[in-house]
Amino acid sequence: MNNSKQLKMTVYTSLFVAFIAIGAFISIPIGPVPIVLQNMFVLLAAIILGPVWGLACVAIYLLIGLAGLPVFAGGTSGIGKLFGPTGGYLLGYLPCVFVTAGISKGLGKKMSSDIIAMVIGSLIIYAAGVPWLKVVTAMTYGKALAVGMYPFLIGDVLKIIAAAFIAKTLRPVIKL
Amino acid sequence: MTKNIIDINAICHTFADGYIGLKNISVSISKGEFIILAGKNGSGKTTFLRHLNGLLLPDSGVIFVKGLDVSKHLVQTRKTVGMVFQDADTQIVGDTVFDEVAFGLENLKVKRAEINKKVTLILEDLNLFHLKDRSPSTLSGGEKRKLAIAGILVMDPEVIVFDEPFSNLDYPGTIQVLSTIIDLNRSGHTIIIATHDVETVICEATRIIMMEDGQIKKDGTPDCIVKHLESFGVRQPCSSKFGMGLQPWLS
Amino acid sequence: MLHLLDVRCKFLMMCLVSMSMLSAQVFACFFYFLVLLFFFKKTGLNIFATLNSIKYFILFLFFIFAARALALKGDSLFSFYGLSVTKQGLNDGFLVAFRFFLVMLTGLLFSSTTKPSSVKSAVQWFLKPVPFVPEKRVAVMISLSLSFMPVILKQAKEVSEAQKARCGDLQKNPIKRIIRLVLPLLKKTFLSADYLVLAMESRCYSDDRTDPEFTPSGKEFFFFAGSVVLSLSLVCL
Ligand SMILES: Nc1ncnc2c1ncn2[C@@H]1O[C@H](COP(=O)(O)OP(=O)(O)OP(=O)(O)O)[C@@H](O)[C@H]1O
Ligand SMILES: [Mg+2]
């Protein structure tokens, strides 16, 4: 990879780190539960940056949160948050971004493959987040699912459809 | 050729989509000049300036900066020719004013102690020192532009290129930036400014280059060129229009 | 006092103490809470403002407390609607929530006494021995994303206001609403990212850069030893 391309990816990846951090704060009020956009930016990072840079993107986001910069939801940071009750979702972003990017790349960056990739990616986030929530709160699985997954599913579907459109229009603009 | 700091010999540039950005441009620039590059939107000013700094390379023709071929000596060129971009917001790399200015020196692997010394000096020179721990995004427009200038001044360039340095600035901001540029010229820097608002700087300039359609249409002293400005879509300064000659903008 | 401490030392102290909290008992927790209060007072931080900034997290802690109190089996204190609150559950829920609370406060104490740019330097320093990680580029990426954040927030506000001005908020379709907010934002910021690439190139960007600087205050050993003792006693108490 030549130098200029690499610098470009470095800057784009940093941009997505910023978007993921800010995604914890921008929400769109729809119905009773506002839709928080963070996981959508993780999915977008995956299908736009690809597996390697996507993984770097999420890793840097977690790293700066862990190191004490206020980038986690509610302006918080640190070990307390990362290993706190919702930490599983955050750590789940790592496998999510890698797998999503891999599938989207493998299936040829079409809109349909993006959607499949993002659905699987979202499930990975829950697969990491819900058991974690269960352990920390000592709830049963049924309850953990009821508070930690079901309420967000509709929002997720909306976000995935939106993200697929966004990726489709964005790709030709940024020519990677 | 040794007297000129920049020598441009018949360069052409065609963009990837086939649009011809520059057509056969030849110019020589000597040390200490204050040049205005004028022309309407899309006339190729930005494209031309980016060649001076090696951000774009010509398809044919050569550019020599201090006698070195730009395409073969990118780092030296970029140390000699500093570039201040059109939009101050988008060129900020650091998360504090101090770090922002230090960025260029860090790239050159200058020793930390020397970086601290140089950055402090530049910030004091430009009256930015009291802001050194601020986040650049919280600065005013004029301060941001000055910060951008500080960021390239610290690398000690001999030529400083400004792309629309006065866009989006209010009156005090413009004065701040203009007087900084004039001081730089007095201290021996070669200045090249691309703008379509000639009035602000024309009194300080030693030369005006008019561009149109990627070509140089006129090149000469402000007094000669000023009458022709409007035929190239650039507003003629009021004072000269009303027959008062050129009046300095900064009293 | 904490402000001047070398950021690497501060970071290690935070990790050490936070780890020890994982096995601290109630008494140790109260003790550490007092220690934290002392430092908050010393550094002139307003504890109430701090608590206010993490109010959602605190709400979450109440939730953990309640969930644990209901979930654990043991001597039932009282019950309603078939759910029983147990003594063990109450104790356990309280302890877990308290621990999280303290770790959170420790992190806040750290981040409010440390500049973001020194956090970045510390990250670079700790990543140095990690193989395959270009720590200098990571440090640059951290600064870049920190400087992008305010720009994005500003533009997000502009985009949403521009849409309100054209009655865009009447749009009912949620997918369209997401797209209309996010797409212009991404396009705009990617465009400015392209300029940033140029600006970095013109300033000779390279991965091989000057190392960051650390300014130890001289009291690092004292503080570090103190935090080791503190952590050990927290575990043992
Ligand atoms: N990357 C590119 N690909 C294709 N065409 C381009 C590219 N960059 C610039 N152009 C075209 O080249 C022409 C000259 O552009 P340039 O930015 O140099 O003009 P300018 O004189 O700086 O204008 P302005 O006053 O608006 O800044 C324009 O018509 C523009 O559309
Ligand atoms: Mg231009």
Side-chain angles (χ1 to χ4, degrees), chain B residues 41-42 44-47 49-50 86 163-164 194 196, chain C residues 195:
Chain B
N41 290 134
K45 303 182 295 286
T46 303
T47 313
L49 293 185
R50 288 194 179 156
Q86 199 158 349
D163 197 347
E164 309 278 359
H196 37 240
Chain C
Y195 279 107

Coordinates of all heavy atoms in Angstrom, one line a residue, chain B residues 41-42 44-47 49-50 86 163-164 194 196, chain C residues 195, ligand 2:
Chain B
N41 N -13.5 31.9 -9.7 CA -13.7 30.5 -9.2 C -13.4 29.5 -10.3 O -13.9 29.7 -11.4 CB -15.1 30.3 -8.7 CG -15.4 31.0 -7.4 OD1 -16.4 31.7 -7.2 ND2 -14.5 30.9 -6.5
G42 N -12.7 28.5 -10.0 CA -12.4 27.5 -11.0 C -11.4 27.8 -12.0 O -11.2 27.1 -13.0
G44 N -8.2 27.8 -11.5 CA -7.1 26.9 -11.4 C -6.0 27.4 -10.4 O -4.9 26.8 -10.3
K45 N -6.4 28.3 -9.5 CA -5.5 28.9 -8.5 C -5.0 27.8 -7.6 O -3.8 27.6 -7.4 CB -6.1 30.0 -7.8 CG -6.6 31.1 -8.6 CD -7.2 32.3 -7.8 CE -8.5 31.9 -7.0 NZ -9.7 31.8 -7.8
T46 N -6.0 27.1 -7.0 CA -5.7 26.1 -6.0 C -4.8 25.0 -6.6 O -3.9 24.5 -6.0 CB -7.0 25.5 -5.4 OG1 -7.7 26.5 -4.8 CG2 -6.7 24.5 -4.3
T47 N -5.2 24.6 -7.8 CA -4.5 23.5 -8.5 C -3.0 23.9 -8.7 O -2.1 23.2 -8.4 CB -5.1 23.3 -9.9 OG1 -6.5 23.1 -9.7 CG2 -4.5 22.0 -10.5
L49 N -1.3 26.2 -6.9 CA -0.6 26.3 -5.6 C -0.2 24.9 -5.1 O 0.9 24.8 -4.5 CB -1.5 27.0 -4.6 CG -1.8 28.5 -4.8 CD1 -2.6 29.0 -3.6 CD2 -0.5 29.2 -5.0
R50 N -1.0 23.9 -5.3 CA -0.7 22.6 -4.8 C 0.5 22.0 -5.5 O 1.2 21.1 -4.9 CB -1.9 21.7 -5.0 CG -3.0 22.1 -4.0 CD -4.0 21.0 -3.8 NE -5.0 21.6 -2.8 CZ -6.2 21.2 -2.7 NH1 -6.7 20.3 -3.5 NH2 -7.0 21.8 -1.7
Q86 N -7.2 26.8 2.4 CA -8.4 27.7 2.3 C -9.3 27.6 3.6 O -9.7 28.6 4.1 CB -9.2 27.2 1.1 CG -10.2 28.2 0.6 CD -10.6 27.8 -0.8 OE1 -9.9 27.0 -1.5 NE2 -11.6 28.5 -1.4
D163 N -3.9 30.0 0.5 CA -5.1 29.8 -0.4 C -6.3 30.5 0.2 O -6.7 30.1 1.3 CB -5.3 28.4 -0.6 CG -6.2 28.1 -1.8 OD1 -6.8 29.1 -2.4 OD2 -6.3 27.0 -2.3
E164 N -6.7 31.6 -0.3 CA -7.9 32.4 0.2 C -7.7 32.6 1.7 O -8.6 32.2 2.5 CB -9.2 31.6 0.0 CG -9.4 31.1 -1.5 CD -9.9 32.2 -2.4 OE1 -10.2 33.4 -1.9 OE2 -10.1 32.0 -3.6
A194 N -3.4 33.3 -3.1 CA -4.5 33.2 -4.1 C -5.7 33.8 -3.5 O -6.1 33.5 -2.4 CB -4.7 31.7 -4.4
H196 N -9.7 36.0 -4.7 CA -10.4 36.8 -5.7 C -10.8 38.1 -5.2 O -11.5 38.9 -5.8 CB -11.6 36.1 -6.4 CG -12.3 35.2 -5.4 ND1 -12.4 33.9 -5.6 CD2 -12.9 35.5 -4.2 CE1 -13.1 33.4 -4.6 NE2 -13.4 34.4 -3.7
Chain C
Y195 N -9.2 17.1 2.9 CA -8.4 18.3 3.0 C -7.3 18.0 4.1 O -6.2 18.5 4.0 CB -9.2 19.5 3.4 CG -9.8 20.1 2.2 CD1 -11.2 20.0 2.0 CD2 -9.1 20.8 1.3 CE1 -11.8 20.6 0.9 CE2 -9.7 21.4 0.2 CZ -11.0 21.3 0.0 OH -11.6 21.8 -1.1
Ligands
MG2 MG -9.3 27.5 -4.7

